[in-house]
Amino acid sequence: MNVTAPDFTINNTWMLISTILVFIMHLGFAALEAGLTRAKNTVNILFKNTAIISIGLLSYSICGFSLMYPDEFIIKKWFGFSQFGLNPNANWDTSIYNPGYTYYTDFIFQAMFAATAATIISGAVAERIKLSSFLIFSSIYVSIIYPIAGSWKWGGGWLDDLGFYDFAGSTLVHGVGGWGALVGAYILGPRTGKYTRTGIKPIMGHNLPLATIGVFLLWFGWYGFNGGSVLSANPGPVSKVFVTTTLAGASGIMGAMLISWSLSKKPDLSMVLNGSLAGLVGITAGA
């Protein structure tokens, strides 16, 4: 596909703006998780979210990018690898590499996705895992697990051969992260004091305004998460993605509000906040 220099510049600029929006999602995750946990664990939560972005970007540059987009698959369409580190070829900064963006733009956009995938698990195991243990797990997850799973579709692996569709990562980012969160929560068990002989004892978050800010920051970043996955600044698809993403987030809020309010007989802000995220996650594959 041939593109003019102005078109290539516009496409590349939009991809970098989308990268910035995805980066802002890490601030959203930090605020949401800190707000929905107890005050005594705030520093632990913030430290994890700060470390994850560093671990994600560095490990993805060392081996994750090559695992996710291999030159060839070593084990059929299940596992492939190129080489360690980044390897731009002679056409790294031209439309010959890609009609929409340069090699380095490609890497940094995908690296933000990788770091986000580990952050999903952070919230599920909050308040019941050692900081050092989580950081070791995150390093393995972002370096190996997520890139290999991502290669099955986006890297031309076996899921891609089957015609599997995942536009921006409902399965490859959020689904894989969700499975990791489920396994982690199952192994660690509930927070101490959650279940007692007299029944379930709610453990409330200490700062709902902070959690609400976090959700809106995540929603804001989702426009880059989904909008950037168009992989160009093509106005038609980008506009449609923005609309579907927005309607999904709004629908998630309404669905969670109606169901939680009818069951508990009172409004529950935390459920509504999680409902918006559920709507956004759900539309990511088909935005």
Side-chain angles (χ1 to χ4, degrees):
M1 177 180 178
N2 294 320
V3 295
T4 63
D7 287 341
F8 179 73
T9 300
I10 292 170
N11 289 337
N12 190 72
T13 300
W14 167 239
M15 292 296 297
L16 290 174
I17 292 172
S18 297
T19 300
I20 295 170
L21 292 175
V22 178
F23 178 78
I24 290 174
M25 293 178 74
H26 290 274
L27 177 58
F29 277 118
L32 174 63
E33 293 174 26
L36 291 183
T37 53
R38 289 169 289 189
K40 65 178 184 178
N41 293 307
T42 299
V43 174
N44 179 279
I45 293 292
L46 296 178
F47 196 103
K48 284 196 298 183
N49 280 275
T50 302
I52 282 175
I53 185 69
S54 174
I55 291 171
L57 293 174
L58 291 174
S59 62
Y60 200 71
S61 69
I62 294 170
C63 66
F65 195 44
S66 294
L67 280 170
M68 196 162 178
Y69 298 97
D71 290 336
E72 61 179 330
F73 282 87
I74 301 169
I75 303 176
K76 293 185 177 179
K77 289 299 185 78
W78 287 80
F79 174 80
F81 190 67
S82 298
Q83 67 173 35
F84 287 102
L86 301 179
N87 182 35
N89 59 32
N91 299 313
W92 67 273
D93 62 346
T94 71
S95 60
I96 298 175
Y97 170 78
N98 187 289
Y101 43 83
T102 69
Y103 175 88
Y104 285 121
T105 297
D106 188 13
F107 161 74
I108 196 63
F109 181 68
Q110 296 296 337
M112 290 300 174
F113 272 55
T116 301
T119 309
I120 294 168
I121 303 174
S122 172
V125 299
E127 300 192 299
R128 53 193 186 278
I129 188 172
K130 289 183 177 180
L131 177 62
S132 57
S133 300
F134 180 78
L135 296 181
I136 292 171
F137 164 78
S138 297
S139 300
I140 297 171
Y141 179 83
V142 180
S143 301
I144 301 173
I145 298 172
Y146 167 74
I148 291 177
S151 73
W152 294 344
K153 165 59 185 177
W154 292 338
W158 65 277
L159 282 177
D160 190 52
D161 287 347
L162 292 175
F164 181 78
Y165 185 82
D166 192 349
F167 174 68
S170 282
T171 295
L172 300 179
V173 181
H174 303 294
V176 174
W179 283 111
L182 178 62
V183 172
Y186 176 78
I187 293 174
L188 295 170
R191 288 178 284 182
T192 302
K194 175 72 173 180
Y195 299 101
T196 66
R197 293 181 181 274
T198 58
I200 300 174
K201 180 183 178 182
I203 300 177
M204 306 302 294
H206 82 286
N207 194 328
L208 286 179
L210 182 62
T212 303
I213 291 172
V215 167
F216 278 100
L217 283 171
L218 286 169
W219 194 334
F220 178 65
W222 231 289
Y223 291 117
F225 203 93
N226 287 356
S229 294
V230 174
L231 304 182
S232 76
N234 190 324
V238 171
S239 298
K240 186 174 184 180
V241 165
F242 268 53
V243 171
T244 54
T245 300
T246 303
L247 295 179
S251 298
I253 288 176
M254 291 303 298
M257 181 176 67
L258 293 174
I259 294 173
S260 63
W261 203 333
S262 63
L263 292 176
S264 63
K265 308 305 179 183
K266 61 181 180 180
D268 188 330
L269 177 61
S270 64
M271 287 295 179
V272 170
L273 295 177
N274 279 293
S276 68
L277 297 180
L280 293 167
V281 168
I283 200 58
T284 299

